[in-house]
Amino acid sequence: PWVVVPFLDYVLKCKGLPVSSDWISFRELAGGKEKHALFKKRGEDVLKQLADKYTDFFNDIVHMFNGKRVEKRFESDVSVVLYPFPLVPIMICYWKPEDGLGSSLNLFFDKSVEENLGVDSTFFLGTGLAQMFEKLAEHHGF
């Protein structure tokens, strides 16, 4: 269900802009500031908790979904780009805790997502991805 509304928006409203490789956070999207706190709580924080508890499993999941390696400048402990839709890449960057610093996980979107999907469907897609990964972890006994 998390993909139905974004998919319909993508099919009906996608402007077909090519992927620019200009990565931005959810809050940088037009209309994203107002929804960022909830996106962080339901999306990034859920994924971070999974990655903290089950790092190897998390790494396996993102690669199972055909995650592509990221550019060297975006490299982290787990860093991949997923393509839920052809013109809507999502970059996941996770840094493990190290030297007294806590872990960190951020989702980034290609700037073209504003025209190819829109902020509301991007919200549903990011939080839905987190819910799906969480359900996979539960299903596999984690």
Side-chain angles (χ1 to χ4, degrees), residues 33-129:
K33 276 186 183 175
E34 297 82 13
K35 297 173 176 76
H36 179 259
L38 189 57
F39 179 81
K40 181 172 175 22
K41 181 178 179 180
R42 290 190 180 169
E44 291 177 332
D45 289 352
V46 169
L47 290 172
K48 179 182 169 296
Q49 289 171 0
L50 284 173
D52 285 345
K53 289 181 186 175
Y54 318 111
T55 306
D56 291 337
F57 180 73
F58 181 78
N59 192 32
D60 290 344
I61 288 176
V62 294
H63 285 92
M64 182 177 72
F65 284 93
N66 205 22
K68 307 288 184 207
R69 297 204 63 163
V70 299
E71 299 171 32
K72 188 77 170 157
R73 65 186 172 133
F74 293 110
E75 215 168 86
S76 58
D77 295 317
V78 176
S79 50
V80 295
V81 176
L82 302 175
Y83 281 84
F85 305 134
L87 298 176
V88 182
I90 298 174
M91 181 170 37
I92 301 172
C93 294
Y94 172 71
W95 294 266
K96 296 176 186 175
E98 184 177 39
D99 297 329
L101 296 173
S103 64
S104 175
L105 185 139
N106 298 100
L107 295 178
F108 297 97
F109 302 90
D110 188 87
K111 185 147 179 63
S112 64
V113 78
E114 292 178 310
E115 298 295 326
N116 288 335
L117 193 60
V119 70
D120 291 332
S121 285
T122 301
F123 175 90
F124 290 125
L125 192 61
T127 57
L129 185 71

